[in-house]
């Protein structure tokens, strides 16, 4: 069988697309860390090329989505140099690392098909680990609480501090008008969409239909963020690739997390 010769990153690999494409997320981890050779064979600590800097450098060039014109080449080079630092190289951790999944799904809700986003993280279990749903974003839930802060400041409705002496009989006014309920809630109240999701699902109001898209958010490399997405197309630059890269501070990380979670 005639095998094609193709330039991948900085080395020539005489193999098929099978070896060039990063077909699994686990494989992305291994290639990022230099724990897989160019034939796709896993490397272990006792192997001489395990986490070899040159091997990692060769792989890193092809772990980015080359078709994304917004991925700055200079920033990409800075990131690669940072993780390959001779004195303090950076590696990804599958378990215990700061990363999570974002899964866009379709559910039927109130007779309509609607997008619902699940956020999943790895959690330790008695015999290992497992993926668990830890947050949810759903447009119809958000609409219910969309004007929460403005409604709180809209008027002077409150329960008098001596209401306990009346056995809280004045609570009846709290529930007179749905639109003013927020004024009676604690300032630290925050809607829990995950609880709402479980409730609506158990009541039969939400029905799962399909998974539409999966991507991962990585905050493992100190001072950096990148997004991992799957690119199913012809060629060598395919599979699970870095689709977005940013250099971020601690404050910027907090803001980015709020943006991702729609908070």
């Amino acid at each position: 069988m005639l095998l094609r010769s193709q330039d991948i990153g900085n080395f020539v690999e005489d193999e098929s697309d099978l070896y060039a494409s990063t077909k699994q997320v686990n494989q992305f981890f291994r290639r990022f860390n230099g724990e897989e050779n160019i034939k796709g064979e896993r490397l272990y600590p006792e192997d001489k090329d395990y986490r070899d800097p040159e091997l990692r450098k060769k792989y890193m060039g092809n772990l980015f989505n080359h078709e994304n014109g917004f991925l700055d080449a200079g920033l990409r080079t800075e990131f690669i140099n940072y993780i390959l630092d001779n004195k303090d190289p950076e590696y990804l951790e599958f378990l215990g690392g700061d990363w999570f999944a974002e899964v866009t799904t379709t559910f039927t809700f109130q007779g309509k098909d609607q997008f619902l986003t699940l956020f999943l993280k790895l959690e330790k279990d008695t015999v290992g680990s497992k993926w668990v749903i830890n947050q949810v974003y759903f447009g119809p839930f958000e609409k219910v609480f969309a004007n929460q802060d403005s409604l709180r400041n809209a008027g002077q409705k409150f329960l008098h501090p001596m209401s306990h002496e009346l056995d809280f009989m004045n609570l009846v006014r709290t529930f007179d008008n749905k639109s003013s309920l927020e004024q009676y809630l604690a300032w630290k109240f925050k809607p829990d969409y995950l609880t709402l999701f479980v409730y609506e699902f158990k009541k039969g109001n939400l029905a799962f239909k399909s998974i539409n898209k999966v991507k991962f958010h990585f905050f493992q490399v100190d001072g950096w963020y990148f997004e991992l997405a799957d690119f199913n197309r012809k060629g060598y630059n395919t599979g699970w690739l870095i689709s977005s890269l940013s250099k971020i501070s601690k404050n910027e990380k907090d803001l980015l997390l709020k943006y991702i979670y729609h908070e």
Side-chain angles (χ1 to χ4, degrees):
M1 180 177 66
L2 180 64
L3 298 178
R4 290 171 289 173
S5 177
Q6 174 75 27
D7 187 24
I8 305 174
N10 295 320
F11 66 101
V12 175
E13 170 57 32
D14 290 321
E15 295 291 347
S16 67
D17 291 7
L18 174 65
Y19 299 139
S21 176
T22 307
K23 290 181 170 57
Q24 298 179 335
V25 175
N26 283 8
Q27 189 176 36
F28 174 85
F29 273 80
R30 293 196 297 269
R31 291 182 170 184
F32 187 102
N33 292 341
E35 298 169 1
E36 176 181 297
N37 65 24
I38 59 175
K39 293 183 178 180
E41 299 167 342
R42 186 168 182 176
L43 297 173
Y44 297 91
E46 61 269 21
D47 296 320
K48 68 180 183 67
D49 290 332
Y50 179 80
R51 292 190 171 181
D52 178 73
E54 286 302 314
L55 177 63
R56 294 187 72 198
K57 186 176 182 180
K58 291 173 182 176
Y59 265 135
M60 284 307 302
N62 205 46
L63 291 181
F64 289 86
N65 175 24
H66 293 167
E67 295 187 14
N68 182 359
F70 295 101
L71 268 175
D72 183 77
L75 190 67
R76 183 175 60 192
T77 299
E78 183 181 353
F79 176 74
I80 293 174
N81 290 336
Y82 181 80
I83 66 169
L84 296 178
D85 183 82
N86 290 330
K87 295 182 180 179
D88 189 22
E90 293 272 355
Y91 302 99
L92 297 180
E93 293 183 30
F94 187 83
L95 299 175
D98 192 359
W99 70 298
F100 59 91
E102 178 180 335
V103 182
T104 304
T105 66
T106 296
F107 276 76
T108 300
F109 181 65
Q110 296 179 342
K112 297 180 181 179
D113 289 350
Q114 305 201 49
F115 293 128
L116 185 149
T117 304
L118 303 172
F119 296 96
L120 298 93
K121 66 176 182 178
L122 281 168
E123 186 174 84
K124 289 185 179 180
D125 201 0
T126 52
V127 292
S129 62
K130 61 184 179 181
W131 283 100
V132 295
I133 300 170
N134 71 310
Q135 289 204 45
V136 167
Y137 171 74
F138 191 38
F141 292 168
E142 184 185 45
K143 288 180 181 178
V144 175
F145 303 97
N147 300 317
Q148 182 177 314
D149 291 337
S150 61
L151 287 172
R152 283 177 176 174
N153 298 317
Q156 298 296 321
K157 294 183 179 181
F158 62 92
L159 291 172
H160 193 277
M162 296 301 290
S163 297
H164 60 287
E165 299 291 2
L166 302 174
D167 293 332
F168 293 102
M169 292 299 293
N170 53 347
L171 271 172
V172 66
R173 293 183 303 178
T174 303
F175 306 112
D176 277 344
N177 191 337
K178 292 180 181 179
S179 64
S180 62
L181 180 61
E182 282 80 0
Q183 296 182 43
Y184 296 95
L185 303 180
W187 277 104
K188 292 184 178 181
F189 165 72
K190 183 179 179 182
D192 182 359
Y193 295 162
L194 181 56
T195 300
L196 288 173
F197 167 74
V198 174
Y199 174 81
E200 294 288 2
F201 184 79
K202 284 183 173 290
K203 293 291 287 185
N205 298 325
L206 271 171
F208 173 77
K209 288 204 68 177
S210 64
I211 294 174
N212 306 319
K213 186 178 180 180
V214 178
K215 60 183 178 181
F216 299 89
H217 302 278
F218 283 80
F219 293 90
Q220 289 198 33
V221 180
D222 188 37
W224 293 86
Y225 159 79
F226 67 85
E227 179 185 289
L228 187 69
D230 186 23
F231 296 89
N232 184 11
R233 61 196 179 202
K234 293 182 179 180
Y236 282 84
N237 185 229
T238 62
W240 290 99
L241 304 172
I242 295 175
S243 56
S244 176
L245 176 68
S246 301
K247 196 173 183 179
I248 57 173
S249 64
K250 175 63 171 64
N251 288 338
E252 288 170 334
K253 176 183 176 181
D254 294 338
L255 290 173
L256 181 55
L257 283 169
K258 288 183 178 181
Y259 174 78
I260 293 171
Y261 288 133
H262 301 267
E263 294 179 344

